[in-house]
C-alpha cells in the first residue's frame, strides 16, 4: 500500500490506496502511476539496465504539495512556461497545440520552424544560446516551469542547469527501440502540459496509421536498402535495433544490418559498407543543402560511391533536412516516414500519400 495525500481544494488529507498504473502499449522506458492528487513518472536509464534515469512527481499547480510523496523532482502541472532545447520537442508541442507554452529555446540555428523563428524575432520567445552552454541568466529571467533537454550516455550532467532549481525533463524517447515506442512518449508530454486527451488521441491516430501501412506490405518482394553516407572518415549506419533500421523492415525492405543489436548508429569504414551493401537495390540518405543534390555532386563527395549498385542503377533518394521537416516530424509521426519508405520500396502499392521527405535524385 502507498501512503499519499489527495488535494481537496488546497487541503491535504492522508489516505492509503494503491496507485493506478498507466498502460503503455510500446514505450518501454516510461512508467506512470496515478495517485489521488499526484502522478509519479519514472524514466528508465537506457544505458544502465534496471536503473532509473529520473523520477518526477507531478502535482497540480493549484494544490499544496502533499506531505507523503516519493522522492523525485517535483513538477507543478500543467506546464505553462517551458524552455525547449530541441527542434523536435518544439514541433511536438505545436502538434499538441501547446506552442504558447514555449518561453525560450536553445540552439535556435537548428530549429527549422518558421513560427518559432518569428516569435524569437518579436521577442516573445527567448533565445538562450547554445544548448551545451546556455546563458543561464536568460533562462532564470524567463522563470520557466521546466527545461526540456536530451540526455546522453556519459554526458557528465548538465552543469549550471542543475544548480538553478528548475526541473529538468530528460527527453530519452530517442532511445526507445521501436518507432511507436518513441512516438508514445507523446502521452507523457500530454500529462505534463495538461492536454492528455489530445495527446492520447493523436498517438492512437499514429498507431493505427502506422500499422495499417505496415499491413499493406507483403513479405515476398523485399528490396535491400542502404542508408545514409560517409561523414568525415566513417559511415554511420543505423543499428539493427534503431527505429530507422526497424522501419525499413516494417516497410518491406531487407536491411543488411538487421541482425546488428545496436539501437544507435554503428560507425564503419567505407570498405565494410561497400562489402556488405554494395549490391543494395535502393540507397536512401539524409543531407543538408539549399538545393537538390545531383549524382555528379554525390560522386564528387566520395570517389567510391559509384561502386554501389543503387548508384549505377540510379535508384538513389535523398532527404534534405534543411528544406524538409524530417527531424521535426518523424520522431512523433513515424507513420509519415513509413509511408515514404513503402512508397520508395514498393511503388506497386496503391493508395499511399506522395513522398514527404525523400526525393529521387
Amino acid at each position: 500500500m502507498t501512503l499519499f495525500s489527495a488535494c481537496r481544494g488546497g487541503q491535504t488529507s492522508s489516505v492509503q490506496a494503491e496507485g493506478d498504473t498507466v498502460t503503455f502499449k510500446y514505450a518501454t522506458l516510461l512508467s506512470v502511476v496515478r495517485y489521488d492528487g499526484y502522478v509519479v513518472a519514472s524514466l528508465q536509464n537506457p544505458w544502465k539496465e534496471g536503473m532509473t534515469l529520473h523520477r518526477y512527481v507531478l502535482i497540480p499547480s493549484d494544490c499544496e504539495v502533499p506531505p507523503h510523496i516519493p522522492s523525485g523532482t517535483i513538477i507543478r502541472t500543467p506546464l505553462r512556461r517551458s524552455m525547449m532545447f530541441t527542434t523536435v520537442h518544439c514541433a511536438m508541442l505545436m502538434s499538441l497545440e501547446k506552442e504558447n507554452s514555449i518561453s525560450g529555446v536553445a540552439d535556435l540555428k537548428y530549429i527549422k520552424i518558421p513560427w518559432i523563428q518569428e516569435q524569437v524575432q518579436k521577442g516573445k520567445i527567448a533565445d538562450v544560446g547554445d544548448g551545451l552552454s546556455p546563458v543561464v541568466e536568460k533562462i532564470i529571467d524567463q522563470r520557466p516551469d521546466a527545461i526540456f533537454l536530451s540526455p546522453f550516455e556519459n554526458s557528465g550532467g548538465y552543469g549550471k542547469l542543475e544548480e538553478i532549481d528548475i526541473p529538468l525533463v530528460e527527453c530519452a524517447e530517442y532511445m526507445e527501440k521501436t518507432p511507436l515506442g518513441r512516438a508514445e512518449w507523446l502521452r507523457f508530454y500530454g500529462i505534463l502540459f495538461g492536454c492528455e486527451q489530445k495527446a492520447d488521441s493523436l498517438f492512437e491516430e499514429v498507431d493505427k496509421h502506422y500499422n495499417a501501412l505496415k499491413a499493406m506490405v507483403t513479405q515476398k518482394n523485399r528490396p535491400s536498402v542502404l542508408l545514409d553516407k560517409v561523414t568525415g572518415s566513417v559511415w554511420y549506419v543505423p543499428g539493427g535495433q534503431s527505429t530507422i533500421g526497424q522501419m525499413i523492415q516494417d516497410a518491406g525492405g531487407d536491411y543488411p544490418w538487421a541482425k546488428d543489436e545496436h539501437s544507435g548508429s554503428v560507425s564503419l569504414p567505407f570498405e565494410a559498407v561497400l562489402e556488405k551493401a554494395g549490391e543494395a537495390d535502393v540507397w536512401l540518405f539524409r543531407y543538408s543543402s539549399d538545393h537538390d543534390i545531383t549524382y555528379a555532386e554525390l560522386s564528387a563527395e566520395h570517389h567510391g560511391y559509384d561502386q554501389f549498385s543503387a548508384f549505377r542503377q540510379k535508384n538513389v533518394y535523398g532527404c534534405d533536412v534543411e528544406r524538409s521537416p524530417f527531424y521535426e516530424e518523424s520522431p512523433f509521426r513515424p507513420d509519415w516516414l513509413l509511408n515514404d519508405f513503402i512508397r520508395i520500396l514498393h511503388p506497386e502499392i496503391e493508395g499511399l500519400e506522395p513522398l514527404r521527405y525523400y526525393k529521387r535524385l
Side-chain angles (χ1 to χ4, degrees), residues 227-231 235-236 283 285-287 298 301 305:
L227 290 172
D228 293 324
K229 56 193 181 83
V230 172
T231 306
W235 195 313
Y236 293 99
W283 181 8
F285 63 79
R286 291 165 288 186
Y287 68 101
L298 188 58
E301 268 186 31
Y305 284 158

Side-chain angles (χ1 to χ4, degrees), residues 40-42 54-57 68-74:
V40 177
S42 301
H54 212 131
R55 183 187 289 121
Y56 300 97
V57 183
H68 301 289
I69 56 172
S71 62
T73 300
I74 292 176

